[in-house]
Amino acid sequence: MAFEVPPLPYDYNALEPYIDTQTMQLHHDKHHAAYVNNLNTAVNNTDFASKNVDDILRHINDVPQNIRTAVQNNAGGHSNHSMFWAIMKPNGGGEPTGALASAIQQTFGSFDQFKAAFNDAGAKRFGSGWTWLVLDQSGKLSVISTANQDSPLMNGYFPVMGNDVWEHAYYLKYQNRRPEYLAAWWNVVNWDEIARRYQQGGGH
Ligand code: MN3
């Protein structure tokens, strides 16, 4: 069973005006599809073809050296984008509730301070990459950023939520104004799915 792009759980225009329709079409149907196609090519006729993409990333050093870079980039791209579509929704935004809200407050002081740290890590990521809220193995939250399509899973972190700061994620609408995109993105955040991921990653 080859890796596949999951269907978008809402229409291409559902995240307007914060993320434009054409960006969603290209991002999901072309960029994500390219990571999946390249991943399938890299792992063709290996045991990795039937593994879970997140498990591959957790054990990236088990991947043979001749395909490791291709797998790191494209399994990362597949995992990161699969998370990304699911943690957004139309009429999203607002603030988290419950255990996740308490943990954010305890870790960062307030929800606004968390948002500022997350946006700052995204704005300062040089070139292409992601900004993340992650859990470590002791259940502690932090904000990190990664380059390219590197997944937090490769470093023992569980990605609770992440925003894509590659230019392909925002350039058609926001051009060079990445901080403006980062600020607008909070209006489409799906806190129910992020709370589910927080539990899945061992948050309490
Ligand atoms: Mn992307």
Side-chain angles (χ1 to χ4, degrees):
M1 182 70 182
F3 295 101
E4 289 179 2
V5 179
L8 201 62
Y10 34 77
D11 290 338
Y12 295 111
N13 65 1
L15 305 183
E16 294 267 11
Y18 308 107
I19 304 181
D20 60 284
T21 304
Q22 192 185 9
T23 293
M24 291 300 292
Q25 286 169 332
L26 292 168
H27 201 176
H28 181 270
D29 294 4
K30 304 294 182 191
H31 289 275
H32 190 166
Y35 298 122
V36 166
N37 291 339
N38 291 336
L39 174 61
N40 284 327
T41 300
V43 300
N44 190 32
N45 292 322
T46 73
D47 292 346
F48 297 94
S50 59
K51 289 195 172 162
N52 174 278
V53 67
D54 288 352
D55 287 338
I56 294 174
L57 291 163
R58 284 188 186 96
H59 306 286
I60 190 69
N61 289 325
D62 294 348
V63 176
Q65 217 163 4
N66 63 320
I67 60 168
R68 193 179 302 159
T69 300
V71 170
Q72 175 175 331
N73 291 337
N74 294 293
H78 180 32
S79 172
N80 294 343
H81 288 85
S82 297
M83 177 279 314
F84 189 58
W85 314 127
I87 64 150
M88 299 190 292
K89 67 171 187 178
N91 304 309
E95 296 194 12
T97 55
L100 174 59
S102 309
I104 285 174
Q105 179 141 21
Q106 218 160 43
T107 306
F108 301 98
S110 69
F111 178 65
D112 284 345
Q113 281 173 283
F114 155 63
K115 270 172 73 173
F118 186 94
N119 287 354
D120 190 55
K124 285 184 177 152
R125 164 52 53 193
F126 184 75
S128 297
W130 291 73
T131 180
W132 300 98
L133 176 68
V134 296
L135 277 166
D136 70 14
Q137 279 155 5
S138 72
K140 189 180 165 358
L141 285 173
S142 58
V143 165
I144 64 168
S145 80
T146 59
N148 305 313
Q149 293 297 352
D150 288 356
S151 167
L153 294 165
M154 296 191 310
N155 292 313
Y157 291 115
F158 182 85
V160 176
M161 65 187 288
N163 193 1
D164 187 342
V165 299
W166 284 57
E167 286 185 346
H168 68 225
Y170 63 86
Y171 206 86
L172 292 179
K173 182 177 175 72
Y174 297 93
Q175 291 85 46
N176 60 317
R177 305 185 304 277
R178 187 192 289 181
E180 204 177 302
Y181 161 72
L182 282 161
W185 181 75
W186 295 96
N187 291 294
V188 296
V189 164
N190 179 350
W191 286 112
D192 290 338
E193 172 62 10
I194 293 164
R196 191 196 65 73
R197 293 182 63 87
Y198 176 68
Q199 298 287 330
Q200 181 192 349
H204 41 75

